[in-house]
Amino acid sequence: MKVILSADHAGMTIRNEVKSLLDEMGIEYEDTGCSCETSVDYPDYALPAAERVANGEFDRGILICGTGIGMSISANKVKGIRCALVHDVYSAKLTRMHNNSNMIAMGERVIGPGLAREIAKTWLETEFEGGRHERRIEKITLYENKHE
Ligand code: RB5
């Protein structure tokens, strides 16, 4: 699995925590910023990362900002992206099982690094269940294709 990781200036601590988790899990990843010396704009980080998941260069993406909201809104504008805003382990598990999410966003002003690590670990380890959930995702894809 290849993971792309991106954060704005408000997500640096969790980004570093997720990097250490990915290292520990032996998962290949690319960290696309920010360098975060100054304040940056989250769409400049979420959109390119989402495009690289949508085009197949990466299997999954993890985004971090202050709330996770700006990152998730931005990523979900990219066709083929199902980015879940996740702040608990149960949702992290269920968004893989039911939504086959290919990205998650987390907010560093909402949760701490310990919980963020557990969320990311659970999300990375959980498989999509398929079945009836496949049909629901196909409906989203159909909508995306109709409204290109
Ligand atoms: C930056 O101050 C903050 O607005 C951003 O990190 C994020 O929370 C936006 O949704």
Side-chain angles (χ1 to χ4, degrees), residues 60-75:
R60 309 263 198 98
I62 300 178
L63 303 170
I64 304 117
C65 65
T67 59
I69 297 171
M71 285 291 201
S72 59
I73 291 173
S74 305

Side-chain angles (χ1 to χ4, degrees), residues 60 76 80-86 90-104 123 126-141:
R60 309 263 198 98
N76 280 316
I81 293 302
R82 293 177 300 281
C83 179
L85 174 64
V86 177
Y90 178 78
S91 303
K93 189 176 167 118
L94 268 287
T95 192
R96 283 291 310 134
M97 289 169 68
H98 289 190
N99 314 122
N100 199 13
S101 54
N102 46 15
M103 298 189 87
I104 51 169
W123 183 72
T126 306
E127 295 297 327
F128 178 48
E129 256 182 21
R132 68 188 189 282
H133 304 296
E134 190 77 65
R135 183 182 72 238
R136 292 161 186 167
I137 288 163
E138 274 166 18
K139 290 187 178 186
I140 300 171
T141 306

